[in-house]
Amino acid sequence: MSVFPDGTAPVKAEYLISVDPLPVPDDDAAEGGQGSRSRNGRDTTEANDGGGRNNKKRSKEEKKARQGQNKNRRFAKVRDEQDICFKVAAGTLCEFGADCKYNHDLQAYLAAKPPDLRMPTVDGLLDAGVEDAADSQPALCPIFEEFGECKYGFKCRYLSAHIRKSSSENGGTESLSLVVDEEKKARAAISAKEVNYIGGETQKLLRTKKYPFPVTDAYLLELQEADKREQEIEKERKRVKEEEREKAEAGDDTVVVAEPEQSRDSAAKVQERTAMDVTSAPQADLDTPDVPMRFSEKNRLDWKGKTYLAPLTTVGNLPFRRLCVSYGVDITCGEMGLSTSFLSGSKEEWSLVRRHPSERTFGVQIAGNKPNTLVPTAEVLARECGSHGGIDFVDVNCGCPIDLVFKTGSGSALLDAPGKLGKALIGMNKALGSIPVTLKLRTGVKDGRNTAEKLMTRAVGGGGESGWGVGCITLHGRTRQQRYTKLADWEYIRQCVDAVRAREADEDLPPIPIFGNGDCFSSHDYHSAVERYHVDGVMVGRGALIKPWIFTEIKERREWDISSRERLEGIRKLAEFGLSHFGSDTSGINTTRRYLCEALSFQYRYVPIGLLEVLPAKINDRAPRFRGRDELENLLASPNSADWVKLSEMFLGPAPEAFVFVPKHKSNAYESQG
């Protein structure tokens, strides 16, 4: 057995090039930046031809410059050189006619349009090569295959898959028409159509602050009245104390009567104020005569033993979640959205709530810093998405460590604001009706000052004096300060779970699912955590980014030595799902390419378990320089972002010169030679 530095993946000697570990990107840095970009779209790192090292030695300054994140990333849209009116492209008439500002000359557009693309199979690709495979494959449009029609029409880069050509009788120009498969279209309406689209009228009402929030208004009025009563109690307490002081100074021996019940110590009053009964109804507006939902009537979450994909920034979009569903995940959650952006009608923020029908249990995660934003966001989500079963739960983020979020009082900052958090959760329960509220949090803000146990025991139950009505809790075993610098504290997770279970038993409360989170990277990690730490399941985050097939491993209780061919099939699936979601026109293809490269920026870090001396693999182990079992495995392990673009070209065609991709981590960026 080779001798490796601590924290290095133990690769077998026959695959080892050097025991020196490759630099590992900073996962915290990756969470925050959106980055800027150099020009030719192919950020590349030094070539990794099997793990070789650049011969040129770098100075300290050069090494430092290649560490951390690329900040202020920007990704411009790539469009056709000659564009065309979308109505004309869809084969319909444009109501603006000659006054339309877009081009209506279909023949000129098609003449200038780049050649159609092909989506090769993995077998065809590896057996025949990229160019030959593309030429030999039948024309298939992923959108047409799934929906029976392609809404991008003549703009589609896979147009030959759904176009009919017919010659005119007099020998003139042949006519072109778009094909529709009515049978596929009917099936897709039931099983393939994404849900949770928010109409333009709703977004306009939100932007202009005219959207009605009757439940929120009543609840916030209730809070104002409670604050007013609290101020009066505090005023009375000060008056009584002042009288006592004056009597003491005057030497009066009169016995002072104990303070009234209202003037208890402040800690008890805070407890009372943040523990309002979820079942109590606000003063209903005339528009809302319905009886409020009781906590006992809320949907119960039966999640014991299920797999849960964490909400993941950037990469955790709908196509990636579909990929994880194909590998067996049970519960998915959209990317974190900001409550203020939802309430301002942001088109980008509302796109985060889209759900594919294959997502069996789906939730939306929101971040906010007070009831005034979290409660109305919950109300609009319930009305616009919950009425037709578009969301199964709403998760409140109390774990995001990013400075941008933390400094606004959102994310992990709420761990130190239990008063605000409790009032927000109670109000959200009122606004969401039967939809449960769930909570994701870290162990605390600062190292050595864990606060999660107290919060978790107060969060459960909805009919007692101190319950916040939470339907599920996920605890990430790290503090905000710790980030990913140490292993997750699973012993503390067990302590918190046991405390919650004790309260549930003492007060005869219905048990809620509790998930742990942190460092799960294999079937062994998942099942040992469930058995040893008393959790109902494990939320998987970074493990799914690096190896999305982890959910298959967990379901089948095995460690999967996945082949390079099988991994490439997963990349092909992700490309197909991306086209289905982002579009098959030039813009959609290169948006898909961008997010495919984002996913590959994590997947390259996977070390095939067939190369390891010891199992299971550990998520924080750094890979040494190694060679794979075949050329494709070498390519998939490359930290060179140019190779990620190369992989995207296998299924999405050549990247245009205008295509831009900046990796989040500087260690993956191209170093120009000379």
Side-chain angles (χ1 to χ4, degrees):
M1 182 179 289
S2 304
V3 178
F4 296 92
D6 288 342
T8 304
V11 172
K12 294 176 181 176
E14 59 264 37
Y15 302 109
L16 193 62
I17 295 174
S18 169
V19 296
D20 295 332
L22 292 167
V24 173
D26 176 2
D27 286 315
D28 288 312
E31 288 186 52
Q34 290 300 318
S36 122
R37 167 73 181 148
S38 67
R39 297 191 18 163
N40 65 10
R42 301 194 184 158
D43 298 18
T44 56
T45 87
E46 51 198 272
N48 180 38
D49 50 3
R53 179 191 292 258
N54 193 322
N55 291 327
K56 178 184 174 183
K57 286 191 175 181
R58 299 191 186 92
S59 66
K60 274 188 178 181
E61 291 74 16
E62 289 173 323
K63 288 180 180 178
K64 186 174 181 180
R66 290 176 55 82
Q67 296 172 357
Q69 64 180 342
N70 283 310
K71 298 182 178 179
N72 302 317
R73 298 193 303 158
R74 295 290 182 270
F75 296 94
K77 284 191 174 182
V78 180
R79 303 182 185 276
D80 292 321
E81 289 185 10
Q82 182 174 336
D83 213 343
I84 191 169
C85 172
F86 196 87
K87 290 288 185 71
V88 174
T92 59
L93 293 175
C94 174
E95 64 269 28
F96 297 106
D99 295 330
C100 179
K101 63 180 181 179
Y102 296 105
N103 175 30
H104 280 201
D105 190 341
L106 181 60
Q107 294 297 332
Y109 169 76
L110 293 175
K113 183 184 173 187
D116 278 0
L117 301 174
R118 295 286 192 275
M119 176 73 77
T121 64
V122 169
D123 289 340
L125 187 69
L126 297 180
D127 294 341
V130 177
E131 294 184 6
D132 292 340
D135 294 338
S136 62
Q137 295 294 314
L140 293 174
C141 169
I143 295 179
F144 181 80
E145 289 299 309
E146 187 172 4
F147 297 99
E149 66 177 340
C150 179
K151 67 179 182 179
Y152 295 92
F154 292 103
K155 289 173 70 72
C156 176
R157 292 295 307 277
Y158 304 88
L159 176 61
S160 53
H162 49 80
I163 192 173
R164 183 182 295 115
K165 298 179 181 180
S166 55
S167 302
S168 60
E169 295 181 359
N170 57 9
T173 306
E174 62 181 4
S175 62
L176 304 173
S177 60
L178 298 170
V179 176
V180 176
D181 187 323
E182 295 295 344
E183 185 178 343
K184 284 182 180 177
K185 187 177 177 182
R187 286 200 306 268
I190 301 172
S191 62
K193 192 173 182 181
E194 295 176 11
V195 296
N196 296 341
Y197 282 88
I198 306 302
E201 186 61 32
T202 298
Q203 291 184 34
K204 182 179 178 181
L205 288 172
L206 289 167
R207 281 196 303 271
T208 56
K209 303 190 183 306
K210 295 179 180 178
Y211 191 94
F213 293 103
V215 176
T216 299
D217 292 342
Y219 179 67
L220 294 181
L221 179 61
E222 184 180 314
L223 291 182
Q224 289 174 5
E225 291 174 350
D227 286 340
K228 187 177 179 181
R229 289 195 300 270
E230 180 64 31
Q231 290 171 6
E232 291 173 354
I233 291 171
E234 181 66 18
K235 186 177 179 181
E236 175 65 15
R237 188 183 67 81
K238 288 182 178 180
R239 186 189 66 78
V240 171
K241 279 195 170 184
E242 182 63 24
E243 287 182 357
E244 292 175 5
R245 187 184 62 78
E246 289 175 356
K247 288 178 180 179
E249 289 177 354
D252 192 339
D253 296 332
T254 305
V255 177
V256 178
V257 179
E259 290 184 18
E261 176 63 25
Q262 299 98 303
S263 56
R264 292 169 294 177
D265 60 70
S266 58
K269 287 182 289 186
V270 170
Q271 169 76 5
E272 181 183 62
R273 292 177 62 204
T274 60
M276 286 178 281
D277 188 350
V278 179
T279 63
S280 63
Q283 297 297 317
D285 287 358
L286 294 176
D287 296 337
T288 58
D290 296 339
V291 177
M293 177 74 60
R294 295 176 183 273
F295 176 72
S296 59
E297 297 172 331
K298 276 187 170 287
N299 295 338
R300 308 298 299 174
L301 300 176
D302 183 15
W303 288 358
K304 189 174 181 63
K306 292 191 175 181
T307 51
Y308 190 168
L309 173 66
L312 300 164
T313 304
T314 306
V315 180
N317 49 34
L318 186 144
F320 182 78
R321 298 197 307 269
R322 283 188 69 183
L323 177 67
C324 291
V325 167
S326 73
Y327 285 123
V329 73
D330 298 308
I331 306 164
T332 54
C333 188
E335 301 171 66
M336 180 188 75
L338 301 178
S339 56
T340 50
S341 297
F342 280 121
L343 295 176
S344 65
S346 164
K347 182 179 178 182
E348 292 75 15
E349 217 73 9
W350 279 103
S351 70
L352 302 179
V353 308
R354 301 269 180 82
R355 173 185 190 171
H356 190 267
S358 65
E359 297 181 86
R360 295 179 288 275
T361 302
F362 172 75
V364 174
Q365 188 185 67
I366 59 176
N369 60 4
K370 53 190 173 183
N372 305 50
T373 56
L374 286 167
V375 178
T377 302
E379 185 170 359
V380 69
L381 283 169
R383 186 177 301 159
E384 301 299 333
C385 304
S387 59
H388 54 272
I391 53 177
D392 299 304
F393 63 95
V394 174
D395 189 70
V396 178
N397 184 304
C398 295
C400 182
I402 302 172
D403 289 342
L404 188 66
V405 174
F406 182 82
K407 288 178 179 178
T408 65
S410 304
S412 54
L414 285 174
L415 298 173
D416 284 344
K420 285 198 298 184
L421 176 60
K423 287 186 279 190
L425 291 171
I426 292 167
M428 290 176 67
N429 266 306
K430 293 174 182 288
L432 286 168
S434 63
I435 300 170
V437 179
T438 66
L439 191 62
K440 184 174 187 290
L441 65 162
R442 286 183 177 242
T443 58
V445 174
K446 294 184 178 180
D447 288 348
R449 291 178 55 189
N450 290 336
T451 57
E453 183 179 345
K454 290 182 179 179
L455 291 175
M456 289 173 66
T457 52
R458 293 177 67 180
V460 297
E465 287 190 348
S466 59
W468 294 343
V470 169
C472 172
I473 299 174
T474 300
L475 177 58
H476 184 176
R478 293 182 173 89
T479 62
R480 187 236 175 196
Q481 183 180 2
Q482 181 183 343
R483 305 289 181 97
Y484 291 99
T485 56
K486 300 176 185 176
L487 294 177
D489 187 352
W490 278 90
E491 291 295 337
Y492 182 70
I493 292 176
R494 177 168 57 188
Q495 177 182 325
C496 293
V497 174
D498 291 346
V500 172
R501 297 301 181 222
R503 186 189 168 210
E504 290 171 339
D506 291 344
E507 301 183 22
D508 196 24
L509 299 172
I512 65 168
I514 301 177
F515 278 65
N517 175 225
D519 304 332
C520 183
F521 197 49
S522 66
S523 173
H524 174 272
D525 290 342
Y526 180 94
H527 292 290
S528 63
V530 171
E531 292 164 9
R532 294 177 56 192
Y533 302 109
H534 308 164
V535 292
D536 294 296
V538 179
M539 176 186 279
V540 185
R542 285 186 301 158
L545 290 173
I546 296 171
K547 45 183 279 191
W549 54 91
I550 188 175
F551 300 108
T552 301
E553 294 184 335
I554 293 169
K555 291 279 186 182
E556 300 177 2
R557 297 187 77 114
R558 68 184 175 103
E559 308 302 321
W560 184 5
D561 186 12
I562 187 170
S563 69
S564 58
R565 188 177 289 248
E566 289 170 320
R567 290 172 65 188
L568 190 62
E569 180 59 38
I571 294 170
R572 182 185 188 277
K573 274 186 184 179
L574 185 55
E576 281 191 0
F577 296 155
L579 293 173
S580 176
H581 181 65
F582 296 117
S584 59
D585 61 341
T586 297
S587 176
I589 283 173
N590 287 292
T591 300
T592 299
R593 192 190 310 277
R594 180 248 162 138
Y595 286 107
L596 186 63
C597 289
E598 297 279 14
L600 293 172
S601 75
F602 286 93
Q603 291 186 32
Y604 87 88
R605 291 155 61 175
Y606 172 70
V607 180
I609 64 174
L611 276 58
L612 296 176
E613 293 180 338
V614 179
L615 295 179
K618 297 178 181 178
I619 194 168
N620 288 335
D621 278 356
R622 301 169 66 187
R625 300 181 184 273
F626 68 91
R627 64 176 61 86
R629 292 166 290 192
D630 54 49
E631 287 303 315
L632 179 57
E633 204 160 67
N634 286 336
L635 181 62
L636 293 170
S638 172
N640 181 344
S641 58
D643 286 331
W644 309 339
V645 176
K646 180 179 177 181
L647 285 163
S648 78
E649 291 177 332
M650 293 181 178
F651 305 111
L652 301 175
E657 286 300 317
F659 175 71
V660 168
F661 179 72
V662 181
K664 283 187 174 181
H665 308 292
K666 292 180 180 178
S667 60
N668 300 123
Y670 177 71
E671 179 185 31
S672 59
Q673 303 301 314

